Amino acid sequence: MPPPRLPETLEQTVKAEFRTALADEPFAVAELGTHTLNRLAPPNWTLEWSLPGWLGATLGLDPATVASLTLANVYGLTTIKLHDDLLDGEVAADDQPVAPLLAAALHRKWLLTYARLLPGESLFWDHFEPYMVQWTQATWASRRGWSTPFADWGDAELLRLAHRGAPLKSCAAAACLLAHQGGRLAQFETALDRLLAGAVLLDHAVDWSDDLEGGHFNAFVAYCSSLPQSPLHRAANRRAVLAELAAGNAGRPYFRWLRHELRTAQVMTRAAGCEPLARYLTWLLAAAQSYRQGLVVTTRAQLPSNRGAAV
């Protein structure tokens, strides 16, 4: 089942405005911007592209405001993704001199888009800064590793994971304030934190092998192995993950926790009256279950004892 799609007209409008906004930048910056936009365009990154429209429908915002909030989200998404790629060493050598300039330009346009909608005295800016601090702290923590064993994780660790997506909450703050319904923001913030925690747990289950190889902290690896996630223990950690997936348990408690976060977010979302976001969570829950089943089958099929045998 594919994820919910953004209306085609809105998607094309936002893409055109994004490209136009970069027209006065150096050609290399604009070219990398277009390439990055294409890489992050729907059906990828559904939540980031669609959340402003879902909130707008719930809060009664007009189409022009929804389009502006969507553009702001796309500026923010590309800014954060570029920073992540630079930190992870995943920017091509030819693009490395250009990527910081593009990230700076997009960050500037992100702020300007919000500034046109919400003047300097707006409460929006009192929310935006903490969201960015949350993202910075979570990004730094993910690169230092985690000292708390996974078995001892609680809400603090989950929130730290969720805060990798904290900038996404800025569109919720803007939407609520523009709709003069700021009292609803706390509901959306909490729901988004739960959603993002579950989504990051799922991403880590999907990306565990690449993260392990690239030296990036991964929660699913931490669930499977108590060893430090260092090059010295890479092979042992990989064996621990494969053993977990091949066993009857097959990561079930991890995925149960993941689904709990997503279901909690769905209950909160419905309580906040945002049915489109609740439907997205239904899709995400189904995707998580399908991925787990596929991961288990694939791993067992690759084990030496199972090669050539029916699974």
Side-chain angles (χ1 to χ4, degrees):
M1 180 174 66
R5 279 300 299 260
L6 192 72
E8 184 69 22
T9 53
L10 178 56
E11 179 183 335
Q12 295 307 319
T13 296
V14 169
K15 286 180 176 179
E17 291 190 19
F18 183 100
R19 289 190 290 265
T20 299
L22 292 176
D24 291 333
E25 302 292 339
F27 176 79
V29 172
E31 185 179 44
L32 181 59
T34 298
H35 172 74
T36 306
L37 176 67
N38 292 337
R39 185 162 56 97
L40 303 179
N44 302 313
W45 303 91
T46 297
L47 180 62
E48 288 79 359
W49 280 79
S50 299
L51 184 60
W54 296 339
L55 292 171
T58 301
L59 298 167
L61 296 176
D62 62 85
T65 300
V66 167
S68 294
L69 290 177
T70 305
L71 180 61
N73 248 27
V74 174
Y75 285 146
L77 165 64
T78 49
T79 299
I80 297 301
K81 190 66 174 70
L82 282 165
H83 280 298
D84 285 345
D85 288 350
L86 285 164
L87 287 168
D88 291 341
E90 295 177 355
V91 176
D94 289 347
D95 293 332
Q96 286 176 9
V98 183
L101 297 176
L102 176 60
L106 291 171
H107 184 259
R108 186 175 70 246
K109 296 177 192 303
W110 186 20
L111 295 180
L112 286 172
T113 302
Y114 278 136
R116 292 187 189 104
L117 293 169
L118 298 138
E121 66 273 13
S122 171
L123 291 175
F124 169 80
W125 303 103
D126 294 336
H127 295 284
F128 184 84
E129 175 63 13
Y131 298 153
M132 296 308 296
V133 170
Q134 289 172 356
W135 171 75
T136 302
Q137 290 177 339
T139 300
W140 179 244
S142 74
R143 277 152 179 80
R144 293 179 62 200
W146 299 57
S147 58
T148 306
F150 189 89
D152 296 331
W153 277 29
D155 281 347
E157 287 73 24
L158 280 179
L159 271 178
R160 193 179 302 170
L161 278 186
H163 287 167
R164 291 300 307 278
L168 184 64
K169 292 185 287 189
S170 62
C171 82
C176 288
L177 292 169
L178 288 167
H180 306 289
Q181 298 180 52
R184 301 176 70 174
L185 176 56
Q187 280 184 301
F188 287 120
E189 285 180 324
T190 306
L192 286 171
D193 277 336
R194 292 295 189 180
L195 187 165
L196 290 165
V200 173
L201 287 172
L202 178 57
D203 284 345
H204 281 214
V206 172
D207 296 337
W208 73 266
S209 184
D210 289 343
D211 284 346
L212 194 57
E213 198 62 33
H216 311 313
F217 173 80
N218 184 282
F220 188 62
V221 174
Y223 163 78
C224 296
S225 172
S226 61
L227 293 172
Q229 293 184 29
S230 63
L232 179 65
H233 299 96
R234 184 174 295 151
N237 281 329
R238 183 176 294 277
R239 287 194 297 270
V241 175
L242 293 174
E244 173 68 25
L245 292 174
N249 206 31
R252 189 173 288 113
Y254 180 94
F255 279 87
R256 186 184 301 124
W257 200 12
L258 181 165
R259 289 194 299 272
H260 171 75
E261 292 302 305
L262 296 180
R263 286 177 180 141
T264 301
Q266 189 172 52
V267 169
M268 292 176 173
T269 297
R270 287 211 162 101
C274 191
E275 189 57 31
L277 183 54
R279 288 196 297 269
Y280 168 76
L281 279 155
T282 297
W283 170 81
L284 193 57
L285 280 160
Q289 180 63 16
S290 176
Y291 176 76
R292 178 184 175 274
Q293 292 170 346
L295 182 63
V296 170
V297 170
T298 300
T299 302
R300 290 177 181 173
Q302 291 175 348
L303 291 174
S305 60
N306 287 336
R307 285 176 185 163
V311 177

